[in-house]
Amino acid sequence: MNMQKLLISLFVISALNACGQNHQDNVATIQTQEQSATEMLSTESKLWQSTDSKITFLIGKVTPKLKSITEPAYFAKSSAQLDKDGQFSMSIDLQSVNTDIEIRNQRLKDWFFETSKFPTATVTGKLDSVAINQMKIGDILLLDQSLVLNLHGQDIDIIAPLLISRTSKNKIIVNTRHPVILDVRQMNMLNEVSKLVEGMGLSSIWEQVPIFFYGEFTTK
């Protein structure tokens, strides 16, 4: 074999080896990506936790001149968790209520929530933890969730229209698709509303209270 044919043969062999190596590299890359995706989408039961979720509500009131005013308020402190069995629990610090006006905050604490006797409210329920843990990143789950609100010593059954989205391996976001409407009659708190009406010199306060929720839950 002359030198020219030898060089050509060596070039062909080298090219074939390179192609084979590239194919192996591509296969290895795909396998690594598939393995990462499998790890990311693990359906193992998890403990999800959230602190200081955004819990807001609207206060509707009517002035003596019959002018309607809607004022937002929120709770600055709360904690929540969804355990491995799907048991959901949330504790809300009622003393953290905030309307951005201190005297109004104090009136809500003293006259409506009566935080000296009822400092916290709780929300409990059983969620479908299997469906939540099976969510892939980018998935959205819609739930009309039965929950129990304990407020002012009363247990109140509510239905929360929830939107749950998985944004990463270790994070889900839960928020209400539209507000939960609480009725002060159902909560047996008309006397507390009357205290606010009288103390604030109002004509009336709406008996229906819209509540919104947004929480970011993480797991290890």
Side-chain angles (χ1 to χ4, degrees):
M1 180 181 296
N2 59 34
M3 183 61 66
Q4 183 178 8
K5 289 183 178 180
L6 177 61
L7 291 175
I8 293 174
S9 298
L10 292 174
F11 175 78
V12 170
I13 293 171
S14 176
L16 289 174
N17 287 336
C19 289
Q21 183 62 46
N22 288 339
H23 175 72
Q24 292 176 355
D25 291 343
N26 290 338
V27 170
T29 300
I30 292 172
Q31 289 175 341
T32 301
Q33 291 173 343
E34 290 177 346
Q35 182 179 2
S36 298
T38 301
E39 292 173 354
M40 186 172 294
L41 302 177
S42 172
T43 59
E44 178 185 358
S45 295
K46 301 176 183 297
L47 172 66
W48 298 92
Q49 295 179 306
S50 177
T51 57
D52 297 337
S53 300
K54 295 180 175 63
I55 306 165
T56 59
F57 61 98
L58 300 178
I59 303 172
K61 60 187 184 181
V62 181
T63 69
K65 295 183 179 180
L66 302 182
K67 180 181 179 181
S68 294
I69 301 173
T70 302
E71 297 171 337
Y74 66 94
F75 297 102
K77 295 181 181 179
S78 67
S79 62
Q81 73 171 33
L82 176 66
D83 71 16
K84 294 181 179 181
D85 296 324
Q87 295 292 340
F88 174 79
S89 61
M90 179 168 64
S91 178
I92 305 167
D93 182 358
L94 299 179
Q95 295 178 332
S96 71
V97 65
N98 195 327
T99 64
D100 293 329
I101 298 178
E102 186 55 40
I103 189 170
R104 190 187 301 160
N105 297 345
Q106 199 61 49
R107 287 168 174 170
L108 284 173
K109 296 176 192 178
D110 294 343
W111 297 344
F112 185 71
F113 294 117
E114 295 185 315
T115 55
S116 60
K117 294 188 291 185
F118 307 102
T120 61
T122 62
V123 180
T124 56
K126 180 70 180 290
L127 276 68
D128 189 345
S129 59
V130 174
I132 293 172
N133 286 311
Q134 286 181 341
M135 294 175 66
K136 299 177 182 178
I137 295 173
D139 279 358
I140 291 176
L141 179 63
L142 304 181
L143 295 177
D144 290 322
Q145 181 63 47
S146 298
L147 298 169
V148 177
L149 167 66
N150 182 276
L151 176 67
H152 211 257
Q154 302 284 328
D155 281 337
I156 306 157
D157 294 326
I158 61 175
I159 302 294
L162 302 179
L163 186 153
I164 303 175
S165 56
R166 189 158 191 174
T167 58
S168 71
K169 178 181 178 181
N170 297 320
K171 183 176 179 180
I172 59 174
I173 294 176
V174 181
N175 61 277
T176 46
R177 306 194 305 272
H178 50 80
V180 175
I181 306 298
L182 292 183
D183 193 312
V184 294
R185 290 182 181 272
Q186 182 186 10
M187 295 187 292
N188 195 26
M189 295 182 69
L190 286 177
N191 289 337
E192 287 71 26
V193 170
S194 296
K195 292 178 185 177
L196 287 176
V197 170
E198 182 180 354
M200 298 171 69
L202 300 172
S203 175
S204 64
I205 289 179
W206 297 354
E207 295 180 359
Q208 286 73 39
V209 182
I211 299 178
F212 306 81
F213 175 84
Y214 175 93
E216 298 182 359
F217 289 76
T218 58
T219 189
K220 295 181 180 179

